[in-house]
Amino acid sequence: MWAASRCFLTATDPAAETWIGAKAARILAGGALGAVADIRTQADRLGLSADQRAAADGACRYLENSAAHLHYDEALEAGWPMASGVVEGAARHPVADRLDITGSRWSVPGAEAVLTRRALISNGDQEP
């Protein structure tokens, strides 16, 4: 979205944060396709060339292609975490701590077996 905002506002324009905030709020409310319509309408209204609107069109393509998975409104209502840091932190324990050992080499089946067991233990579904 930051790259898309540059199609309409300069990098130093404080209005860019407001623009991003409005689009993010719409997406978080379950309106990803509405945000796409807003962005495309703005680019059309300004008469931007294909080059000038490339980042905006890229953001729109991403949102359209991902729309089936962008149910942020439902996730927020359910109280699910939305930050990638939560996911990365959760993955660090069973994955990186075991597979990122210097000099280790893993086959895909071997890594999957170890990660499955570590996930079962971490979730309390199997004794260590």
Side-chain angles (χ1 to χ4, degrees), residues 21-125:
K23 301 306 176 262
R26 185 145 193 197
I27 293 165
L28 288 171
L33 296 179
V36 167
D38 291 347
I39 294 167
R40 288 209 168 118
T41 298
Q42 186 175 7
D44 291 343
R45 190 178 65 244
L46 294 173
L48 300 181
S49 69
D51 286 344
Q52 291 172 317
R53 65 185 287 158
D57 287 339
C60 289
R61 273 190 307 280
Y62 171 81
L63 291 171
E64 287 172 329
N65 292 340
S66 303
H69 308 288
L70 298 178
H71 301 291
Y72 292 117
D73 54 329
E74 295 171 16
L76 289 169
E77 188 173 317
W80 297 338
M82 300 299 297
S84 64
V86 173
V87 174
E88 291 171 11
R92 184 194 58 77
H93 170 66
V95 178
D97 287 356
R98 182 65 181 105
L99 298 183
D100 280 348
I101 297 170
T102 302
S104 66
R105 293 171 46 111
W106 294 92
S107 67
V108 172
E112 286 178 352
V114 168
L115 293 178
T116 299
R117 177 143 164 76
R118 287 179 65 88
L120 290 169
I121 293 167
S122 291
N123 291 335
D125 295 330

